[in-house]
Amino acid sequence: MRTKLVAGNWKMNGGLAQNKALLEGVMAGVAGFNGMQAAVCVPFPYLAQAQQALAGSKVAWGAQNLSQHDKGAYTGEVAASMLLDFGCRYVIVGHSERRSLYGESDELVAAKYEAAQKAGLTPILCVGETLEEREGNITEQVVGRQLDAVIARSGVASLAKAVVAYEPVWAIGTGKTATPEQAQAVHAFIRGKIASLDKGVADGLVIQYGGSMKASNAAELLSQPDIDGGLIGGASLVVEDFVAICQAAQR
Ligand code: PGA
């Protein structure tokens, strides 16, 4: 039985005072929830704040990006070991904003995924197609290629210690959510593709949906057989909304 994971992706939002209220609100909100895991992925400067606020609670925390390198002359970069120093469990890799705005290739994403795992972090590997790719009927090709890059580098067994997030680019921050059927179809494709290589790994793999998931549509999305949680952008910045999604993810 897979445990549903609801992770907030704060992106480049927040501030000390605002975060305090959000972290405390989420922590209190999910304290009584069972059979689900909540997490927040915060901007680097606030990892210490998240660690201090959340340590010992039910809420895990993580980062939104990392360097593929261990250390050295890489100005402005952050290494996996640094994230571990602040108690991170998760790190998002290959978010579509990193791929499109910062030119991260499938190969770079695979290198970051490997760096995260080598350090003992759980990568949340984001995959997903653009609207043009969906309309061109190449969604499975694109998602398959994004997965293949990671499998080629780290092997299918590595997915036993990872999370995959299916995030259709056209649904991110647009208010346009994939229908439960559309999302389920791609989730089933992902699980099936991995099952063809290793059924045990596929059965245990948590596959989150991301893209305008909110309190009003979470329950329906999360009731699909292959949707094991959510990666939440906008709605993760509002305590009530994020907690409502976590509530829907309970067993
Ligand atoms: P959204 O973002 O929930 O605001 O659509 C999701 C994401 O980018 O991870």
Side-chain angles (χ1 to χ4, degrees), residues 9 11 95 167 171-173 211-212 231-234:
N9 173 12
K11 308 194 180 181
H95 189 278
E167 299 207 303
I172 295 178
S212 300
L231 186 55
I232 319 298

Side-chain angles (χ1 to χ4, degrees), residues 36 113 159 210:
M36 64 84 54
Y113 171 101
L159 287 163

